[in-house]
Amino acid sequence: NSVMTATTVKNDSFLTLHYRIALPEGGDVVNTFVDKPATLLMGGGQFAPSLENALLGLAEGDQKTFSLDPESAFGLRNPDLIQRVSLKTLRDNSDSEEVYVPGDMVEFNAPQGGTYAGILQSMDEEGAWFDFNHPLAGKTIIFEVKVISIL
């Protein structure tokens, strides 16, 4: 007398899903529903931990929409992450022909390898102010997900 248990998303699941991240005021940041589904290895760093937490326990075929406040989504904005970068550092990390305008996202090489990105706030002849907060930090987001399959 074997009982079939539905497969649910666990900490180490590999899943195929559609997802949409949107802002309450409108506008999708990401939407895979219009294209092909995404694959996700839980705990692999592709999704913020808060988004992975929302997926835990969902079963194949489940479709849910979550509203995540900033603390549960990408965190609050951190004023310490607005930092001055010298023009030399900017030049070392970019093409010398590059012209930047406020609002541009610029990628920097991190000392320990990898990269991090910041949004240019303002510039003068000595350097620039960059906001290294996640672009969605401080925002409430709508997270809609449909689990297609769980391996």
Side-chain angles (χ1 to χ4, degrees):
N1 188 358
S2 67
V3 179
M4 287 293 291
T5 55
T7 307
T8 59
V9 178
K10 298 178 188 54
N11 286 324
D12 60 353
S13 298
F14 184 72
L15 48 146
T16 304
L17 73 166
H18 271 304
Y19 70 98
R20 182 174 73 94
I21 295 175
L23 301 174
E25 59 269 24
D28 289 348
V29 178
V30 178
N31 184 354
T32 70
F33 286 92
V34 296
D35 196 19
K36 57 183 194 306
T39 53
L40 169 69
L41 176 61
M42 293 287 283
Q46 292 162 272
F47 268 30
S50 52
L51 300 185
E52 288 194 351
N53 286 342
L55 297 173
L56 289 173
L58 294 181
E60 287 187 359
D62 280 1
Q63 182 157 357
K64 286 219 161 64
T65 301
F66 304 91
S67 175
L68 301 174
D69 61 24
E71 292 88 343
S72 330
F74 292 93
L76 296 170
R77 291 184 57 74
N78 179 349
D80 295 342
L81 291 177
I82 297 173
Q83 296 178 356
R84 190 156 173 82
V85 174
S86 73
L87 286 184
K88 178 186 181 324
T89 303
L90 192 53
R91 276 199 285 275
D92 289 350
N93 282 279
S94 62
D95 183 336
S96 59
E97 305 299 302
E98 193 87 50
V99 176
Y100 296 111
V101 295
D104 282 354
M105 184 177 277
V106 180
E107 221 166 64
F108 293 91
N109 294 312
Q112 64 280 12
T115 59
Y116 57 99
I119 308 248
L120 177 61
Q121 304 280 294
S122 64
M123 236 173 131
D124 56 35
E125 50 285 342
E126 278 142 40
W129 285 97
F130 279 91
D131 182 349
F132 291 106
N133 280 288
H134 188 285
L136 295 175
K139 296 185 187 289
T140 295
I141 62 163
I142 308 298
F143 179 47
E144 180 184 359
V145 61
K146 179 174 177 38
V147 178
I148 298 167
S149 65
I150 303 169
L151 298 177

